[in-house]
Amino acid sequence: MKKGILFATIIALSSFDMTTAANFNYHVDRFADIEVLRYEVPGFDELSLNQKKLVYYLTEAALEGRDILFDQNGSNNLAIRQLLEKIYVNYKGDKNSKEFKAFEKYLKQVWFGNGIHHHYSTDKFVPEFSKAFFLGEVRKLKEKPEAVRTKAALDETVKTIFDPQYRAKRVNQAAGEDLIVTSANNLYEGVTQKEVEEYYASLKKPNDPRPISYGLNAKVVKKDGKVEEEVYCVGGLYSKAIKRIIYWLDKAASVAENDVQRRTIQKLIDYYISGNLKSFDDYSIMWVEDTKSRVDFINGFIESYGDPLGMTGAWESIVNFKNESASHRTEVLSSNAKWFEEHSPVDARFKKDEVKGVSAKVITACILAGDSYPATPIGINLPNANWIRAEHGSKSVTIENITDAYDKASHGNGFNEEFVLEQADRDLLDKYLFITDNLHTDLHECLGHGSGKLLPGVDPDALKEHGSTLEETRADLFALYYLADQKLVDLGLLDNPNAYKAEYYKYMLNGLMTQLMRIEPGKDIEEAHMRNRKLIAEWAMEHGKKDNVVELVKKDGKTYLKINDYAKLRGLFGELLSEIQRIKSEGDYDAGRELVEKYAVKVDQSLHQEILNRYSKLDIAPYKGFVNPVYKPVYDNAGNITDVKIDYTEGYVDQMLRYARDYSPLTK
Ligand code: ZN
């Protein structure tokens, strides 16, 4: 239920003062299609000593899980990472040579992807250094790491790095193929999709109102011809890393802010020890009901995008604390959830009678780890188990120091000048995009996903492979529709009833044009969030044609967006929201599929090429991620922590090499 990285914030914004030291350097590294940034942790120094210790212990627990994700992403990722790092550190030749530069780029990509595949497209990275260079460097290593220790290991490593057909895609979603056999991730071994589906079908109890999240923390393998799970737990798979995580969680529990939080952390430890998914549900309920603690965290096997069957959770952790002043915004939205549900443009039959506690807050991230590092979401809505969400609510957060870093880093990158024709529109974006973009995320996460209901008997999975695209479409439309509502001004969340136009402009520009910069020439759009934005933008443009609501105009051979009637555009968003809600509530698969196929997938080739050309001149990375700050405890003579200092100076390569050195419990 994460909202993807909101790359739309790439649009340059001006002077939104967030009391940042003027000399804070957001830019860390740039390679391939990636820019690495750093983020600030404002307010950390004002936390109590106890809270600082809690944050410190939780960040250590977060870093200890890094190897798990590498291994989940591919069975030889850890060995390859270790080998590449050894070659990198050992290298004595010309560091400006083409071969070494290409090698360094590849290693940076592997670090960023937590393995040999791109974090977003999941396509395998293509090395630009030669096999001869690689083998030469391997020969120079005195001690041979696991990846090249035997002839068989070396052959496998060479094939993995250099054969483009081999382990080509981490997550294959192509209809009609065996998604498990054709995906290169390490969540299954020696089993077919059919075998896995039959295995879980045999475990699931029909009509269980509170089903556990089957497969969330296990690898499915075949042993002696029998399909079975290898569970991630103490004594099971990833035991060494899990023990390290528990060590730090235990320390965290000793300085918890209150009893509820202490018991929550202890329940998480129980779950890591037993691997019992019932314990994970118990933990999730305790976690979602802890709304009092200032410091909070995610730590575990959570999101299942890395599994083509959507079952196994990728390991991740985020440690954070509440941003009290900014949280006022989401608290206001949440406490008015009922008003929003009642006034939404959807059919009364599809509305919730009672809107259940969506707790929402704005947080400051202290560490990003596992599947949330270096690329990270800007908003999170958990837990994922539907029955827990229905009975106990969900926690929804916006990570504002991350959105702030995106925003600050984009200043002066030339994007607005290239893609926004009118000065008036640029001014609008400068003035209102930061606040309306954050509000859009708040509305999407706090209210959008939680709104509406299914008609009795409708299967929640009825929309099948289009389910996530349509769900994101629904949440985005809910947010877009309400951004333009006078209610937001009345609630004191916006000071100008026209502010919403900034987000409308950016959203349409992104959906119709600029998000195409992330797609390779000739390819269609696959990712759910990108499909959803395109669906909304294309549908609105087509349905507003007769009134000329939105148009694409040409000037000097370049295409620009023009919005002629913002009020009518809002009406169109409302209309589409009502239809998408109907599709979801009734489980109308055919109507959903038609919308996706007609508006969300196909790319206009000439427009695409134009965007790529214009974009390449700007040299803006399509993807961004972050290095973490370093937390350094200060000890007294008796060995007690008296303070925790935060340091922002570490670079990308240094951080990756340090993590490999200090947090590699699974590397052999
Ligand atoms: Zn979402």
Side-chain angles (χ1 to χ4, degrees), residues 1-4 305 379 381 441 444-445 448-449 468 471-476 529 532:
M1 295 278 179
K2 269 184 205 167
K3 191 179 172 187
Y305 302 107
N381 186 328
T441 306
H444 175 115
E445 297 287 353
H449 280 306
S468 14
E471 177 57 19
E472 295 309 324
T473 304
R474 198 175 70 90
D476 263 0
H529 293 84
N532 120 53

Side-chain angles (χ1 to χ4, degrees), residues 66-240:
R66 178 165 177 258
D67 277 2
I68 297 177
L69 182 72
F70 268 85
D71 193 71
Q72 286 185 302
N73 283 347
S75 62
N76 56 357
N77 276 337
L78 280 174
I80 287 178
R81 188 191 80 199
Q82 183 192 38
L83 171 67
L84 298 175
E85 286 165 351
K86 285 229 150 68
I87 291 175
Y88 185 79
V89 171
N90 189 56
Y91 185 76
K92 301 280 186 319
D94 176 8
K95 294 204 169 158
N96 287 313
S97 71
K98 236 178 122 197
E99 291 275 32
F100 182 77
K101 286 270 173 220
F103 177 81
E104 185 179 44
K105 172 178 164 185
Y106 182 77
L107 174 56
K108 286 180 176 181
Q109 287 178 295
V110 169
W111 281 330
F112 200 92
N114 291 294
I116 56 167
H117 300 92
H118 192 277
H119 71 287
Y120 202 79
S121 72
T122 83
D123 292 330
K124 198 166 76 166
F125 296 124
V126 180
E128 292 164 10
F129 52 92
S130 68
K131 206 184 285 185
F133 170 83
F134 174 75
L135 292 173
E137 291 306 314
V138 167
R139 269 193 295 276
K140 289 178 200 160
L141 295 176
K142 285 196 193 73
E143 247 176 82
K144 301 283 183 244
E146 188 197 357
V148 294
R149 208 165 283 155
T150 63
K151 171 82 171 66
L154 176 64
D155 289 348
E156 177 68 16
T157 298
V158 168
K159 195 174 173 199
T160 301
I161 294 176
F162 292 99
D163 180 349
Q165 308 303 322
Y166 187 55
R167 301 176 186 252
K169 204 164 177 75
R170 176 162 59 82
V171 189
N172 180 29
Q173 303 272 25
E177 296 179 20
D178 185 313
L179 302 183
I180 291 200
V181 173
T182 55
S183 292
N185 63 36
N186 187 29
L187 307 173
Y188 303 91
E189 194 175 321
V191 285
T192 63
Q193 181 175 349
K194 190 163 166 285
E195 286 171 326
V196 173
E197 283 167 351
E198 283 171 1
Y199 174 75
Y200 283 112
S202 75
L203 294 183
K204 285 183 187 173
K205 302 186 197 90
N207 305 318
D208 184 351
R210 298 183 181 90
I212 59 165
S213 303
Y214 289 96
L216 187 70
N217 65 339
K219 176 175 174 175
V220 179
V221 298
K222 206 186 261 178
K223 259 198 196 125
D224 306 324
K226 219 174 126 252
V227 176
E228 62 180 50
E229 287 186 333
E230 285 182 355
V231 178
Y232 309 150
C233 62
V234 172
L237 205 51
Y238 305 141
S239 186
K240 274 188 184 164

